[in-house]
Amino acid sequence: MTYALDAEKIIQRPAAVHLPPAAPAPARTAARTAAVGLSLALAVGITAAPSFASTPLGQGPRTAAPVAAPEGLDRYYHQHLAWGTCMRTPQDTEGRDLDRAGARCADVTVPLDYEDPRGRTITVAVSRLKATDTRHRIGAILLNNGGPGGPAVDSPPVIRKAMKEVGARYDIVGFDPRFVGRSTPLDCGWPVSATWFSAGASRAGFDRQVALSKSLAAKCRAAGASVLPHISTRNTARDMDVIRGALGERKISYLGYSYGTYLGTVYTQMFPGRYDRMVLDGAVGPDAYSPRLLKGTVRENEQALSDWAAWAAERHTTYGLGRSRTAVLATIDRVMAKAARDPLTLGTAPDLHRVDDTHIPMLLFMGIADDTGESRAVLAEQTATLAKAAEGRPAPLSPEFAETLHFTLTGAQSSYGSAQTAIICGDVPAPRDPELYWRDIQRSRAAHPLFGPLVENIGPCAFWNTPREAPTRITHRAPALLVAATGDPRTTYRSSTTLRGQLLGSKLLTLKNANRHALYGEYGNACVDSKVNRYLASGRLPKEDETCVK
């Protein structure tokens, strides 16, 4: 599944948070690597405006009593969903795998603009694995993998496995949010697939980032000016409620990772009383959510990098990065210094890539969101490749690193970056003055030379139009189970504890001693998985916050 920031997991299945993705695990593709996403170039590409088909709403017999719909939205809430095969073309391996797992897919029609429900419509793709224990069926659970921009149509089989016995009691429903994946698309024709870059070591590097961000924003206005005002978390939450109504559910349960925790929180505030069980894993609170999502994460990322460096030092004979934590970190410093003078050439012909000091911090950032041995080995291999390139010895790229670089340095997944950015920029306004970002970079650089210029850098939201709606604030009680690791380098543990205090009635399940973003069903911690499944089965939150240990 994905995990955003993740990043959400675009690179580990996109996930990220609402953020850059983590380094792709061996069996995952860059297209699905999750929020986790993002990196670089200023090349200009030609873009075609996306088409937005209007899908007629059919009316058919329903298996449940009609669900009350907001005024003017009856035809959306009570539409008949035409469930069928998930495989759209003979080459659609994702759809084929869903079909084999027993899932069925449909398109839900929603208004582009909820203030004009009779106007243009778009579609939101959904998939469903129906409950097999119908006698003890609990209801439907909706999934979001973060990003923003992370798809989840492919996720029901993965979540069914994570849920173990209780999975049979749920209809498990994945959906690709508006303008993501199989839903009505947005592609701004960017030369990059994400936008989380470092400012590098110089003012010249920052100025290039300003120019890139400005050009990316302009491309999105040219490609989708009519739809950008309607791409937001609040409209995705409205789509979720239409999905609930179209499924015939009076209440719906929810599992969200990374940015998906923010989406889930927004849903609880916009539609109180319409949700049942809610699991928010790797939380981002409304007060922390903004286009500058990475601010405040430097310490956690430095700790995660330091812990990885100690791991790599113990394996110096394999990776050659240094025999101590300090030596490994010094290797990274040498790579950065060389890349700041001259871009490094990675790979061998014909698979060549050029990276500089604006790219390397993100490549490292993507690799430290997971402290499992497998992910640490992937990062060590990639860092060894960077070290060789800094010495003028380009080496062949591993398939994983080639995939990561292709995603990061090209527009291969422009649609992912376009949607992710449009959602963030459409939610909360960003500061406009480039000099504000430069001052923040300079203040952070002295103490945090590697990650400071990354987390403080400018992005396209500085050049975006002002959001149509004000950000969501927490005003309603919202019982939910929050899940968090103490060393989460994406959405920090502080963010989860803050949300715990804001969501009255919620409880926090903590995993201690883990530098990991996204836990349930992803990390393999039996304690976390069993406690989440106990809640999903019973609907009863623990009386007090609970703790597991890595």
Side-chain angles (χ1 to χ4, degrees), residues 167-189:
R169 301 175 61 192
Y170 281 91
D171 288 357
I172 304 176
V173 181
F175 79 108
D176 289 355
R178 54 174 50 203
F179 301 103
V180 169
R182 294 175 177 236
S183 298
T184 296
L186 171 73
D187 189 344
C188 298

Side-chain angles (χ1 to χ4, degrees), residues 304-381:
L305 183 66
S306 178
D307 291 349
W308 167 82
W311 180 93
E314 294 174 353
R315 295 157 180 82
H316 174 73
T317 55
T318 301
Y319 303 111
L321 297 173
R323 297 184 182 279
S324 68
R325 181 197 315 254
T326 301
V328 173
L329 295 175
T331 297
I332 291 174
D333 290 342
R334 288 194 297 273
V335 169
M336 281 290 293
K338 180 63 171 66
R341 294 191 298 270
D342 297 294
L344 308 181
T345 299
L346 299 181
T348 56
D351 191 14
L352 292 174
H353 298 277
R354 299 273 281 173
V355 301
D356 61 27
D357 58 337
T358 67
H359 309 137
I360 292 170
M362 178 45 59
L363 294 173
L364 296 169
F365 181 89
M366 290 162 66
I368 56 176
D370 185 352
D371 63 3
T372 61
E374 182 183 45
S375 291
R376 283 179 163 175
V378 169
L379 179 58
E381 291 169 0

Side-chain angles (χ1 to χ4, degrees), residues 228-229 231-233 421-429 461 464-469:
L228 291 181
I231 305 176
S232 68
T233 296
T421 303
I423 294 167
I424 296 175
C425 300
D427 283 340
V428 183
C461 294
W464 219 261
N465 291 342
T466 302
R468 292 187 66 178
E469 295 186 82

Side-chain angles (χ1 to χ4, degrees), residues 202-203 206 434-442 445:
S202 67
R203 176 68 196 220
F206 173 71
E435 295 306 313
L436 179 149
Y437 296 89
W438 177 245
R439 289 193 295 270
D440 287 350
I441 288 166
Q442 292 296 80
R445 190 191 303 278

Side-chain angles (χ1 to χ4, degrees), residues 5 8 17-19 258-259 261 281-284 297 484-485 488-496 517:
L5 252 152
E8 268 119 217
V17 114
H18 51 246
L19 312 184
S258 193
Y259 158 81
T261 68
D281 189 329
V284 124
T297 67
D488 187 338
R490 290 292 174 278
T491 55
T492 67
Y493 186 65
R494 294 188 308 278
S495 182
S496 289
H517 182 62

Side-chain angles (χ1 to χ4, degrees), residues 228-280:
L228 291 181
H230 309 292
I231 305 176
S232 68
T233 296
R234 288 178 64 84
N235 277 334
T236 299
R238 294 180 176 109
D239 295 343
M240 286 170 53
D241 205 54
V242 169
I243 293 171
R244 175 194 61 77
L247 292 174
E249 302 288 341
R250 295 194 173 277
K251 292 186 177 183
I252 198 162
S253 294
Y254 179 82
L255 167 63
Y257 296 89
S258 193
Y259 158 81
T261 68
Y262 176 70
L263 172 60
T265 299
V266 169
Y267 184 81
T268 68
Q269 302 307 297
M270 292 181 66
F271 300 99
R274 300 189 193 177
Y275 59 92
D276 184 11
R277 296 153 210 204
M278 181 154 294
V279 179
L280 307 178

Side-chain angles (χ1 to χ4, degrees), residues 68-106:
E71 184 177 355
L73 296 175
D74 285 351
R75 68 187 187 120
Y76 297 103
Y77 274 75
H78 299 151
Q79 65 185 285
H80 172 72
L81 299 184
W83 295 101
T85 178
C86 298
M87 191 171 173
R88 295 185 170 185
T89 69
Q91 294 74 38
D92 182 6
T93 57
E94 179 182 282
R96 181 190 62 209
D97 291 343
L98 284 166
D99 286 347
R100 288 176 176 174
R104 288 294 176 264
C105 292

Side-chain angles (χ1 to χ4, degrees), residues 9-74:
K9 291 180 176 180
I10 211 176
I11 283 193
Q12 227 171 331
R13 206 196 169 212
V17 114
H18 51 246
L19 312 184
R28 304 203 177 172
T29 66
R32 305 296 304 164
T33 354
V36 191
L38 22 272
S39 238
L40 145 270
L42 232 113
V44 177
I46 296 176
T47 264
S51 61
F52 301 97
S54 258
T55 303
L57 298 180
Q59 296 294 330
R62 300 183 52 75
T63 58
V67 178
E71 184 177 355
L73 296 175
D74 285 351

